Amino acid sequence: MKTKNILYLLIALPALLLQSCLHDQEDVFSEASSLRLQKAIEEAQEALVNNQSLWVMDYYPREEQYYGGYPMVFKFESGKVTAWRLKEEEEKTASDPSLIVSDESDYRITNDYGPVLTFDTYNDAVHYFSTPRNNSAWYQAMKGDFEFVIDSIGQDRIKLHGKRSQNVMYLRALTENAEDYLTRTANLSDEFIYSTTSLNINGVETPVDFDLDYKQLVLNPGADDERELAFCFTSTGIRLYAPLNVDGVNVEEFTVNFGNEVMTPVNGTSQSYKLNRTPGYMKYEEWAGEFTLTYRPTAAAEIQSTTVKLELVGDKRYILMKELNPTYDLQLIYNRSLGTIDWNCQRIVTLEDGNYILAANWDPSAGSVNYTTSYGMRAVWNESRQAYVWTDRGQWSGHPVQGFIPYVFNSAGTRLGAVTSEYYLGGGARIIPLTFTKN
């Protein structure tokens, strides 16, 4: 019995010793970790507040920088922050057409396995990107961040990443007035109407497209190795989400010279890169007014023409085409990158019985229709004809979209049949748009 007791003691002793050692280690690391965290929080707070200038952030909502960058300016003062950003078009009204939103709120530096900058009371400049809107398409808002893990602190730059999006962002010292900076940025963005350039990336001459709707550089567009890199407009040009190796130098920012239509790397080579605009480019505002539309009611019919009126919605995204039918308007989509408009398959009327009318995509040569509302045609400038030519966008596999046919559908999405004459397009049961010319 005594032997068994000794044996149990010998077996249990290493475990007791191990438990004691682990407990001691946990105490030591816990104490050191808490001290390090407290020091990091204090350093972050001091950096934010003691900076004599403002901070500017290229803010990237949603994972993978889906929407591109939005400039935002901050001023931190002992638990209070003032933030400024540019208004989105949907926020502007006739009574308040101002460019800038500013708001004051609280902020804190919290501890979450490291210092975290959190805007813990509502701030319209910041929380706009994470607040759902009265629209089913925006029930998750733009998936923006209002909590940022602080990764490192430099003299004039603080590196962070969004807790939600994981996008890396920087607070950069800003020596000019917040509203001046944002106004100049807005003006530059409006004047930037270029669609392509070419850069020497990693020693290879690379074509680049600008996606101005989502603020992306599209590198090698259409190639197997096509990729996108987000950017944000600044008061002098554009700043990239991540550096590019251009002419042997890592470049993250370009200045833009509108007079020479070039962009030049900042802290890179002195080489400038030609900016190209799409022929026939028109700004959103220039699309307002009367246009002559030529079309055929069927593939074999003679060409007809009619005058339509384009009316701006005000959000710099959508345009209404009026007077093609007195009963309804058609919705066109402005493509800012190309300075032109798209005409898509779309729902045009909801009837009293709950049924609706959809103007379907039509391939007259094959007699086929398609109901995908992201497919359609584009107005492409033709220099020799001095007109825009309605052109298929190549989305419907094996079929060109060359026109539209309105059909009646029930609420379940089942096609019921043709429409009555009051819902015709341009006086016919179908339409093949040909050219578009501003009067």
Side-chain angles (χ1 to χ4, degrees), residues 257-281:
N257 183 316
F258 289 111
N260 296 328
E261 296 195 314
V262 297
M263 67 180 193
T264 305
V266 175
N267 299 327
T269 68
S270 59
Q271 175 70 37
S272 294
Y273 300 92
K274 182 66 176 173
L275 296 167
N276 309 302
R277 67 178 72 189
T278 301
Y281 190 106

Side-chain angles (χ1 to χ4, degrees), residues 74-92:
F74 299 96
K75 177 66 176 178
F76 297 94
E77 294 179 290
S78 58
K80 295 289 184 183
V81 59
T82 303
W84 297 262
R85 66 168 171 84
L86 291 171
K87 279 185 179 179
E88 292 294 281
E89 291 300 324
E90 64 185 26
E91 298 178 277
K92 298 175 185 176

Side-chain angles (χ1 to χ4, degrees), residues 271-383:
Q271 175 70 37
S272 294
Y273 300 92
K274 182 66 176 173
L275 296 167
N276 309 302
R277 67 178 72 189
T278 301
Y281 190 106
M282 288 208 298
K283 292 183 179 181
Y284 178 78
E285 294 77 11
E286 294 176 306
W287 283 97
E290 291 188 344
F291 287 75
T292 297
L293 170 69
T294 65
Y295 65 96
R296 296 180 192 271
T298 65
E302 292 185 1
I303 296 175
Q304 301 182 26
S305 68
T306 188
T307 299
V308 297
K309 182 179 180 181
L310 298 195
E311 183 178 291
L312 307 181
V313 174
D315 59 0
K316 292 197 174 182
R317 178 66 173 161
Y318 297 105
I319 298 172
L320 298 181
M321 184 195 295
K322 295 177 171 290
E323 300 176 13
L324 187 60
N325 182 297
T327 308
Y328 56 82
D329 301 330
L330 290 170
Q331 186 180 76
L332 306 177
I333 301 173
Y334 179 65
N335 184 314
R336 188 186 167 195
S337 300
L338 302 177
T340 191
I341 50 177
D342 291 342
W343 182 346
N344 284 1
C345 164
Q346 59 192 275
R347 184 184 296 204
I348 51 179
V349 175
T350 299
L351 304 174
E352 291 183 359
D353 59 5
N355 295 334
Y356 65 89
I357 297 174
L358 181 96
N361 296 305
W362 176 36
D363 173 7
S365 59
S368 300
V369 292
N370 174 281
Y371 311 132
T372 306
T373 55
S374 59
Y375 294 1
M377 306 180 77
R378 174 167 295 156
V380 177
W381 180 252
N382 185 297
E383 188 69 26

Side-chain angles (χ1 to χ4, degrees), residues 199 236-238 240 246 251-256 263-266 273:
L199 300 174
T236 57
I238 64 172
L240 308 180
V246 180
V251 174
E252 63 178 357
E253 188 172 353
F254 295 86
T255 59
V256 173
M263 67 180 193
T264 305
V266 175
Y273 300 92

Side-chain angles (χ1 to χ4, degrees), residues 232-250:
C232 184
F233 285 107
T234 70
S235 62
T236 57
I238 64 172
R239 187 157 45 223
L240 308 180
Y241 175 75
L244 274 180
N245 187 291
V246 180
D247 282 323
V249 179
N250 283 335

Side-chain angles (χ1 to χ4, degrees), residues 185-194 258 277 283 336:
T185 300
N187 292 339
L188 185 142
S189 171
D190 284 344
E191 290 302 313
F192 195 97
I193 57 175
Y194 304 106
F258 289 111
R277 67 178 72 189
K283 292 183 179 181
R336 188 186 167 195

